[in-house]
Amino acid sequence: MIVVDIGNTNIVIGFYYKKKLKSIIRLKTQEQKISQKLEKYFKFNKLDSMSLDYNYCIISSVSLMATSEIIEFFKKFKFQVLNINVKNIPKEINFNYKLNQLGS
């Protein structure tokens, strides 16, 4: 399973194998060609042949542009992508904020 946190400054991607965090990569959110950098990382670390726990990519993001590129990248590798946001959190959570004031 792959988990992705896309913030305003950094993108942090964690790779899980046997329910343990196997590796982490960190990219700048504003970098150009994020998918090319990910592809190089995948090839260098042979992640395309790595056996992950699940073929899921879970994303939490505050950057629409970076999110779109990352979703396309992982779908190319046949991952099921779930983009978590305040509107689709799987459990009911009570917030004392207006939805438009709350980030991912």
Side-chain angles (χ1 to χ4, degrees):
M1 178 169 60
I2 295 175
V3 293
V4 182
D5 175 30
I6 304 172
N8 290 318
T9 306
N10 292 308
I11 299 169
V12 182
I13 303 173
F15 299 87
Y16 281 84
Y17 177 68
K18 294 189 178 180
K19 298 184 181 182
K20 293 189 182 192
L21 185 61
K22 181 175 177 144
S23 65
I24 295 175
I25 61 172
R26 187 178 295 268
L27 303 168
K28 296 286 181 199
T29 303
Q30 302 305 322
E31 282 188 49
Q32 300 295 318
K33 303 176 184 173
I34 293 169
S35 58
Q36 287 180 351
K37 291 179 188 259
L38 284 172
E39 190 133 2
K40 285 181 185 177
Y41 184 84
F42 263 55
K43 286 181 181 176
F44 180 77
N45 291 291
K46 297 182 174 111
L47 292 176
D48 52 343
S49 63
M50 181 173 72
S51 188
L52 298 169
D53 290 345
Y54 303 100
N55 216 23
Y56 293 110
C57 175
I58 300 172
I59 299 172
S60 175
S61 176
V62 297
S63 171
L64 294 176
M65 193 167 74
T67 302
S68 298
E69 188 173 355
I70 288 176
I71 287 172
E72 286 179 36
F73 177 81
F74 283 109
K75 282 187 174 182
K76 183 173 75 173
F77 282 91
K78 306 289 189 244
F79 280 84
Q80 286 187 322
V81 178
L82 175 60
N83 185 13
I84 303 266
N85 60 53
V86 71
K87 294 178 182 172
N88 70 2
I89 293 174
K91 293 187 176 198
E92 187 174 318
I93 299 173
N94 294 320
F95 294 102
N96 292 323
Y97 301 95
K98 294 179 184 172
L99 287 180
N100 64 351
Q101 295 175 325
L102 190 62
S104 294

